[in-house]
Amino acid sequence: MAKIIGGIGTSHVPTIGVAYDKGKQDDPAWAPLFAGYKPVADWLAEKKPDALVFFYNDHATTFFFDLYPTFALGIGERFEIADEGAGKRPLPAVRGNVDLSIHIAESLVNDEFDITTFQDRAIDHGCASPLPLLWPHAPDWPGAIVPIAINVLQFPIPTAKRCYKLGQGLRRAIESYPEDLKVVVVGTGGLSHQVHGERSGFNNEDWDMEFLDLFVNNPDELTKLRHADYIRRGGAESVEQIMWLAMRGALEGKIRELHRSYYLATTTAMTVTLYEPV
Amino acid sequence: MNPQLAGLDDLQGTYVFDLRVSHRAMKLNRFLWNMIGAPARDTFKADPVKAMTEAGLSAEEQELVRKEDWIGLIRYGASFFVLEKFARVAGRTNLEVYAMMRGETFDDFMKTRRVPECR
């Protein structure tokens, strides 16, 4: 049977990808960011998971508002990385695991979680910006991803609690998969930031720390918050942190935080954390 | 009113993008979204007015795009996440767009940041 061996929380700021592509690993302004991912990359290299399930959000790239899925699961041998307006990134298409993706879709839907599925669509920085900091991509990615996109762009978006429940459903799906795969669940987004309107540039470090602590010790509290609470406390776009709760739902119960890196350089509190079930 | 969003009326400088806004500004957002495709970028660069007219943009919408009025576009109903695709075509970074939405020069905005050289 497949098993969830850990969880990762990570920002998906597009500039992480830009800095990576430009080779800014040793630039003093960027070095703390890259250093923050190193322990997580090392852990992944040691544990060698077969798959990373990504709870992430599309940024109106794979989907447009004419048909915007609340939850959508990708199926494919490969996922191309999308051109978001600045051209293609120099990265190989990400590997997928068709059987695992389909099993998760079947399990979720039979479990009354009626998820949309997509095929043959490129995925954007919601998934792709942190990925090369976690996994090497030369000569090829070491494992597969299962992308699960969550609408956090166009309200109504799912509640924090619903995201947590999706994670619980994912766990049932993983644990009923017959192959002995090791799976890590990744929740992306945040932390505090706002990127639209005159309130752009808003951050709240106190709230970020409180969120990270509650995430480990009392996630129930976070599932009770409304979208308005996230928007007020962490900035409008920080509402995407509800995607971390999907990861937390998949790791229900006690977890141990093995790593936390927090780097607020310009506008988004760039964060990466690592958890193992206890 | 969506109860998940109730109580934000006093929050300045924040424009919730919900289905009402999305529906009202659909043509504008689709036009901005199309900038993820190289042919649409080329068409726009070759003849902006023709590209916007063919996309069905109103005179008001065309003016906002022509002026690269970022805060005006947000207030009108653009989603930031398609606006940033147009920003790439306009040769603006997101940091520059944030500064302009705040009504600040880029240098002044960056002075308010923890690591201004992180760009």
Side-chain angles (χ1 to χ4, degrees):
Chain A
M1 290 297 179
K3 192 177 169 211
I4 295 173
I5 61 164
I8 295 168
T10 174
S11 303
H12 62 227
V13 187
T15 44
I16 296 177
V18 177
Y20 181 86
D21 294 349
K22 287 185 177 167
K24 293 197 174 181
Q25 284 82 344
D26 299 322
D27 181 322
W30 286 98
L33 171 81
F34 289 102
Y37 279 82
K38 183 81 171 38
V40 186
D42 290 346
W43 182 86
L44 286 167
E46 183 203 326
K47 301 287 180 184
K48 296 189 172 48
D50 301 283
L52 303 181
V53 177
F54 261 82
F55 288 116
Y56 77 106
N57 72 281
D58 169 62
H59 297 77
T61 307
T62 305
F63 310 107
F64 179 60
F65 302 124
D66 58 345
L67 204 173
Y68 214 71
T70 300
F71 299 109
L73 185 155
I75 296 158
E77 281 87 11
R78 290 276 171 176
F79 298 97
E80 294 287 337
I81 296 172
D83 175 352
E84 299 182 50
K88 288 270 201 187
R89 294 183 62 194
L91 294 173
V94 188
R95 290 169 59 194
N97 181 328
V98 172
D99 290 338
L100 179 62
S101 276
I102 292 174
H103 170 80
I104 292 171
E106 287 173 344
S107 177
L108 286 172
V109 173
N110 289 329
D111 211 7
E112 301 182 348
F113 217 112
D114 307 317
I115 196 162
T116 299
T117 55
F118 67 91
Q119 304 186 54
D120 281 344
R121 295 218 179 190
I123 53 177
D124 79 6
H125 71 266
C127 198
S129 93
L131 192 58
L133 279 67
L134 298 169
W135 256 354
H137 53 79
D140 197 1
W141 304 98
I145 67 160
V146 176
I148 301 180
I150 300 179
N151 168 31
V152 295
L153 259 57
Q154 178 179 251
F155 289 89
I157 70 173
T159 63
K161 182 147 220 160
R162 187 65 174 151
C163 291
Y164 189 87
K165 287 180 176 173
L166 173 62
Q168 292 175 306
L170 174 74
R171 182 174 184 161
R172 290 190 287 274
I174 301 285
E175 292 180 349
S176 62
Y177 191 65
E179 220 181 310
D180 287 330
L181 297 185
K182 287 185 283 186
V183 177
V184 171
V185 184
V186 185
T188 78
L191 293 182
S192 63
H193 69 300
Q194 177 153 340
V195 296
H196 85 269
E198 295 87 341
R199 199 178 179 232
S200 290
F202 177 84
N203 298 107
N204 185 345
E205 289 172 83
D206 291 342
W207 162 239
D208 288 339
M209 291 307 132
E210 191 183 343
F211 175 87
L212 290 173
D213 291 340
L214 286 170
F215 187 81
V216 173
N217 301 314
N218 192 2
D220 197 39
E221 195 73 20
L222 296 174
T223 66
K224 288 177 189 156
L225 295 180
R226 294 179 310 126
H227 298 142
D229 301 320
Y230 283 97
I231 290 169
R232 187 177 288 280
R233 293 181 195 188
E237 280 72 30
S238 79
V239 74
E240 69 192 16
Q241 285 166 230
I242 60 174
M243 298 187 295
W244 283 50
L245 292 171
M247 179 260 285
R248 189 66 178 93
L251 273 79
E252 195 172 26
K254 266 186 85 95
I255 57 170
R256 184 175 48 203
E257 184 174 322
L258 300 182
H259 175 74
R260 178 192 295 190
S261 162
Y262 180 90
Y263 186 48
L264 173 52
T266 56
T267 54
T268 303
M270 299 185 285
T271 310
V272 62
T273 57
L274 175 63
Y275 309 101
E276 274 182 357
V278 177
Chain B
M1 182 59 181
N2 180 344
Q4 284 281 322
L5 293 166
L8 288 177
D9 299 342
D10 65 328
L11 195 66
Q12 298 296 307
T14 302
Y15 306 83
V16 169
F17 186 78
D18 70 359
L19 284 169
R20 293 172 188 86
V21 179
S22 178
H23 177 69
R24 184 164 45 73
M26 190 68 177
K27 280 187 180 154
L28 175 66
N29 280 311
R30 188 187 287 278
F31 167 79
L32 298 169
W33 177 69
N34 277 335
M35 294 299 145
I36 58 177
R41 294 197 286 267
D42 294 342
T43 304
F44 176 76
K45 282 177 195 162
D47 190 341
V49 174
K50 182 164 175 272
M52 290 191 286
T53 305
E54 283 178 2
L57 300 198
S58 68
E60 182 186 4
E61 291 165 339
Q62 293 196 22
E63 186 66 1
L64 288 166
V65 173
R66 190 190 63 75
K67 291 197 309 205
E68 296 176 15
D69 181 355
W70 308 104
I71 191 64
L73 285 158
I74 289 289
R75 287 177 185 155
Y76 183 87
S79 158
F80 176 77
F81 297 102
V82 290
L83 194 60
E84 67 176 334
K85 295 164 181 30
F86 176 67
R88 297 298 87 79
V89 178
R92 297 293 190 181
T93 66
N94 281 7
L95 288 170
E96 289 173 322
V97 176
Y98 305 151
M100 287 185 276
M101 287 190 292
R102 284 160 57 111
E104 295 172 358
T105 67
F106 182 63
D107 287 342
D108 283 348
F109 172 60
M110 291 311 283
K111 279 181 202 150
T112 67
R113 302 295 102 187
R114 184 83 39 97
V115 188
E117 40 308 323
C118 198
R119 52 178 88 168

